[in-house]
Amino acid sequence: LFGERIAGKLFVMMMMICFGMVLAALLSLRNCDSQSIEEICSNPAFSKREVLTKERRKANGFGEKPPLLWSIPGSGNTFTRALLEYSSGYYTGTPYNDSSLSQFFPLEHKCDDSVIAIKLHPFILKGRKGFITSAEYLSDVFGMHATNETAAVCPEIGYFDRAVIIIRHPIDSIWAEYQRRLSRGNHTYSLTLDEFSPTRFQTQALFLATQFSHATTLFIQFMGDNNEDNHYLLERFERLTDTYTRYEVLTKVLSYLGVHADSQRVKCAFHLAGKLAIRRKRNMQALEAIALSSSCIPLFKILEKPMKRFGYDDYGSLLKECMTLQVQYKREASSKTSIVTTSPK
């Protein structure tokens, strides 16, 4: 009996030692993988980007003109551009010429066929002032129902005939764009609770929600008129940043652009783009801001239709969560006011 006890204890000890060795090996393997990605992606070949010459464009079958990288402001266009540049090896451009982004995108000022894709937002056109109708926008960008007053947004290209449409959950999109506007174009600024103004946010958030709704209607109008011949590719930004789907989605976008996707280059694109100072950290959550500004019902009322149109089926659950937070914040504010008014002088 004594021998059996000793044998049992030895068995348990050996199992614990084996488990420890396996765990150490797995941790070591994980560190090696992390180091190898860092080392592999530090190769200048993976960060090299080039101008897309007419000869190279023709040789690779890219077509005569680049497609749009089309998204609502706050939907991750900047990060998507970085992914496309590093994974394809070619630059992207835009007619906006944002000086805060030129350090990351050397051809930020280009809106011609020397780039692989061109960033554009709905209803925001250089040279157009004031309110732009859907008809005017579609006319200037795609030449749809063009008139004598139509002016192509990129004269060197003419009208666009294809678009990669990036859509993002409107709650996250609105919150990101609000912070960018508040900071006068800073793409990494993150608002804190101490700086937050409920009144200012409510006014801007309702405006941005309306803008989001109009923009999705514009997307649907374009897709409805161009539902054949590979005129557009629609992808969610969430799938482009999700660990399980991001490689597949980026490869799909590259294929649409006519670029052969190198698997290692695709992996390094995420590694390299993640190092750029073009994404903000969150000090506050979007739903928190909406609840604090008592905007739950009016905001979600505007967003209900576009959310359902593009498959964001969490409308009901988010509205319920928002209302719960809104009631909670009002109670807390009321409690603080009560303490202040009843405190002895």
Side-chain angles (χ1 to χ4, degrees):
L1 184 62
F2 179 75
E4 290 179 356
R5 287 179 178 176
I6 294 295
K9 288 182 178 180
L10 286 173
F11 176 76
V12 172
M13 288 177 64
M14 290 181 66
M15 288 296 292
M16 291 178 67
I17 292 171
C18 288
F19 177 76
M21 292 175 66
V22 170
L23 183 61
L26 288 173
L27 289 172
S28 176
L29 183 62
R30 182 180 176 184
N31 289 335
C32 286
D33 286 344
S34 178
Q35 290 172 2
S36 63
I37 287 291
E38 180 71 39
E39 290 170 0
I40 290 171
C41 298
S42 64
N43 185 328
F46 290 115
S47 58
K48 182 181 179 182
R49 293 160 290 170
E50 300 177 299
V51 172
L52 189 52
T53 62
K54 294 184 184 296
E55 293 75 21
R56 190 174 286 133
R57 177 176 285 280
K58 185 176 181 180
N60 288 283
F62 289 151
E64 295 182 0
K65 61 182 73 173
L68 284 182
L69 184 59
W70 202 20
S71 71
I72 299 165
S75 298
N77 198 307
T78 302
F79 185 65
T80 305
R81 285 178 68 190
L83 292 177
L84 289 180
E85 290 202 4
Y86 285 126
S87 60
S88 71
Y90 299 114
Y91 293 115
T92 60
T94 175
Y96 301 134
N97 194 14
D98 186 342
S99 59
S100 69
L101 294 176
S102 58
Q103 60 178 312
F104 307 114
F105 305 107
L107 295 194
E108 169 71 14
H109 61 291
K110 286 289 185 179
C111 193
D112 55 29
D113 60 4
S114 65
V115 295
I116 194 71
I118 290 177
K119 164 187 175 178
L120 201 67
H121 294 312
F123 301 114
I124 303 175
L125 295 177
K126 189 176 181 179
R128 284 274 193 182
K129 295 182 179 179
F131 179 77
I132 304 172
T133 66
S134 296
E136 289 171 335
Y137 182 91
L138 292 172
S139 177
D140 283 8
V141 178
F142 299 105
M144 294 168 61
H145 318 297
T147 66
N148 292 333
E149 296 180 1
T150 296
V153 63
C154 295
E156 294 183 45
I157 290 178
Y159 302 122
F160 290 91
D161 52 20
R162 294 191 303 149
V164 175
I165 304 172
I166 302 296
I167 192 83
R168 187 182 189 183
H169 198 295
I171 300 301
D172 295 323
S173 172
I174 289 167
W175 183 229
E177 177 60 8
Y178 173 72
Q179 292 178 93
R180 190 193 70 83
R181 289 183 174 215
L182 190 66
S183 61
R184 297 183 180 180
N186 189 317
H187 290 263
T188 59
Y189 170 76
S190 183
L191 187 65
T192 64
L193 183 59
D194 292 337
E195 300 170 307
F196 183 71
S197 167
T199 305
R200 177 186 290 178
F201 174 75
Q202 185 185 63
T203 302
Q204 280 292 307
L206 295 178
F207 168 77
L208 292 172
T210 303
Q211 185 184 61
F212 186 95
S213 180
H214 289 335
T216 54
T217 300
L218 190 72
F219 289 157
I220 289 170
Q221 186 176 347
F222 170 75
M223 291 187 291
D225 289 352
N226 296 276
N227 57 3
E228 298 177 357
D229 300 324
N230 205 29
H231 278 299
Y232 71 89
L233 174 68
L234 174 67
E235 276 296 343
R236 290 189 190 182
F237 183 67
E238 291 82 8
R239 280 173 39 83
L240 194 56
T241 54
D242 184 272
T243 305
Y244 298 101
T245 58
R246 59 182 186 172
Y247 297 142
E248 172 196 345
V249 173
L250 182 55
T251 299
K252 184 179 177 182
V253 175
L254 289 172
S255 177
Y256 180 79
L257 297 178
V259 178
H260 171 71
D262 176 83
S263 59
Q264 191 58 63
R265 185 154 196 141
V266 166
K267 290 179 181 178
C268 283
F270 285 95
H271 178 76
L272 295 168
K275 286 186 162 189
L276 300 180
I278 55 175
R279 300 189 73 185
R280 63 175 54 84
K281 296 179 180 179
R282 293 193 180 189
N283 291 319
M284 283 182 66
Q285 296 300 317
L287 214 57
E288 182 183 6
I290 297 169
L292 280 169
S293 64
S294 300
S295 305
C296 297
I297 291 178
L299 189 77
F300 276 91
K301 186 177 180 180
I302 297 170
L303 295 175
E304 180 179 7
K305 187 179 288 186
M307 283 180 70
K308 291 179 178 178
R309 276 177 172 176
F310 286 88
Y312 290 106
D313 53 7
D314 55 353
Y315 170 84
S317 60
L318 279 179
L319 176 56
K320 184 177 180 180
E321 184 182 350
C322 189
M323 288 302 298
T324 302
L325 284 173
Q326 188 169 300
V327 170
Q328 176 189 326
Y329 293 147
K330 282 186 176 181
R331 283 177 180 170
E332 291 175 357
S334 177
S335 176
K336 288 178 182 179
T337 303
S338 177
I339 292 171
V340 171
T341 55
T342 57
S343 61
K345 295 183 179 180

